[in-house]
Amino acid sequence: MTTSSSAPGKVYLFGEHAVVYGEPAIPCAIDRRASATVERRADDRLRVHAPALSLDGLTVDFGDDVAVDVDDERVAAALGYVRGAVESAREYVDGTAGLTVTVESDLPLGAGLGSSAAVVVATIHAAVRELGGDIDDDELAERAYRVEADVQDGEASRADTFCATVGGAVRVEGEDRRRLDAPDLPLVVGYDGRSGNTGELVAGVRQRREEYGFAADTVEAIGDVVREGEGALSDNDTETLGELMDFDHGLLCALGVSARSLDEMVWAAREGGAAGAKLTGAGGGGCVVALDDGGDARRALELSPVCETAFDAALDREGVRAE
Ligand code: PMV
């Protein structure tokens, strides 16, 4: 028997980085998913197939103390997430059985779309079920958060894992996490083919915030943008949402987490008629998200020399699900 689950990726409509200092943030699940298929083995080993994580496909066997030797550090990190997720599921079900896990994903790695959270949530969900257990959303989101925090040396917020678990638009502020009522959002994503180093980017903001009072004010201003954005979201006011996304991007630039390629894609999307655009996630490279109601932002992004791929994305109201 095999058991499969999938979980959505996400964009930040507002609030990345500031959320680390207790300001609210609004991530939104998108209709691009990662999936995990899990099969119990006769032995006690863990085997991971990850055809989507590298060009040539990838299979890794984890023995007791076998170090994983993979060149691409993003792929190595992704394997660490899968291993952590399986261990968490086994501990939860009180199981020791070996498992073969196949991970597939439509989300680029480390690019601000929550790929690792989606992989961890889908893997725990599928592995628990394959081992005969049952897990509710609270327990799943908490376990997925702990796996991410372990792999990322404590530098993880609960936003991505909560969003991948419950889907939709969510509001995260410290320990408080909840679903928001949100209209359909005409989102467009542009990807420059790169990824930023989240740990370094978060550390850079921390340093600027400690050094300059105005950088601390900038972090608080992002919190104000999010609070304003929450109202615009419940009023389905696309124009104001776009304006606030532009504002948020400007504040993130001031905090030093954008990149030339991200700025160029943001401008391409705006010039293509988007109501607003911003980077999503840690920054430094990766993805931008635009709100485009009737414009031609995707085409404008595709024409931008720095953009590797652009796609339309809808708000996905469904979180983790059995496949
Ligand atoms: O790049 P992502 O999708 O992992 O998002 C990082 C968001 C930060 O606010 C920069 C860090 C965090 O853990 O909240």
Side-chain angles (χ1 to χ4, degrees):
M1 192 186 92
T2 61
T3 307
S4 299
S5 299
S6 73
K10 63 101 206 9
V11 293
Y12 270 97
L13 204 52
F14 304 112
E16 53 272 88
H17 284 287
V19 71
V20 174
Y21 308 98
E23 299 293 344
I26 304 182
C28 294
I30 56 168
D31 56 350
R32 289 220 158 194
R33 293 185 160 245
S35 70
T37 300
V38 179
E39 183 170 19
R40 203 186 263 259
R41 296 168 62 88
D43 57 24
D44 61 357
R45 296 172 74 85
L46 166 63
R47 166 172 280 203
V48 179
H49 295 293
L53 296 182
S54 78
L55 287 180
D56 312 328
L58 184 80
T59 298
V60 177
D61 279 316
F62 291 99
D64 287 344
D65 282 315
V66 181
V68 185
D69 181 17
V70 180
D71 285 349
D72 185 328
E73 67 183 44
R74 284 181 290 177
V75 175
L79 291 171
Y81 291 113
V82 176
R83 183 181 199 169
V86 167
E87 276 161 8
S88 176
R90 273 179 176 157
E91 178 201 80
Y92 179 66
V93 186
D94 195 19
T96 51
L99 295 169
T100 296
V101 183
T102 303
V103 175
E104 280 164 295
S105 176
D106 289 335
L107 300 156
L109 295 176
L113 296 187
S115 61
S116 57
V119 165
V120 171
V121 167
T123 303
I124 297 179
H125 193 254
V128 165
R129 292 188 309 116
E130 173 69 10
L131 293 171
D134 192 16
I135 189 162
D136 67 24
D137 282 358
D138 283 344
E139 181 72 30
L140 176 56
E142 182 59 28
R143 283 187 171 268
Y145 161 69
R146 277 193 259 126
V147 171
E148 279 220 323
D150 271 2
V151 177
Q152 294 166 201
D153 296 327
E155 291 283 7
S157 79
R158 293 167 189 276
D160 285 23
T161 39
F162 180 67
C163 193
T165 303
V166 303
V170 307
R171 184 187 196 278
V172 180
E173 183 172 7
E175 296 283 298
D176 181 53
R177 304 179 290 285
R178 56 196 159 87
R179 282 280 301 255
L180 294 175
D181 281 334
D184 290 336
L185 295 168
L187 302 171
V188 177
V189 173
Y191 173 44
D192 65 6
R194 301 168 53 219
S195 68
N197 181 322
T198 303
E200 276 172 23
L201 291 153
V202 170
V205 172
R206 179 165 294 132
Q207 197 184 333
R208 279 173 207 109
R209 190 173 162 271
E210 280 162 12
E211 190 170 354
Y212 299 116
F214 48 80
D217 294 345
T218 304
V219 169
E220 281 179 30
I222 292 178
D224 292 338
V225 169
V226 180
R227 283 179 279 271
E228 196 74 30
E230 229 179 306
L233 196 60
S234 67
D235 295 344
N236 194 7
D237 180 348
T238 305
E239 199 183 316
T240 305
L241 282 172
E243 202 170 275
L244 294 169
M245 287 168 76
D246 286 344
F247 217 115
D248 197 353
H249 183 74
L251 296 170
L252 290 165
C253 286
L255 290 173
V257 297
S258 192
R260 188 182 182 129
S261 54
L262 297 177
D263 292 343
E264 281 184 28
M265 289 193 291
V266 159
W267 277 107
R270 289 173 185 160
E271 285 168 8
K278 62 182 278 295
L279 66 85
T280 172
C287 292
V288 299
V289 56
L291 190 64
D292 185 29
D293 196 8
D296 207 359
R298 181 163 60 86
R299 180 99 188 103
L301 279 165
E302 282 165 356
L303 290 172
S304 162
V306 296
C307 180
E308 193 178 280
T309 5
F311 57 89
D312 295 319
L315 178 68
D316 191 341
R317 295 176 195 280
E318 203 177 1
V320 67
R321 68 175 180 232
E323 294 289 350

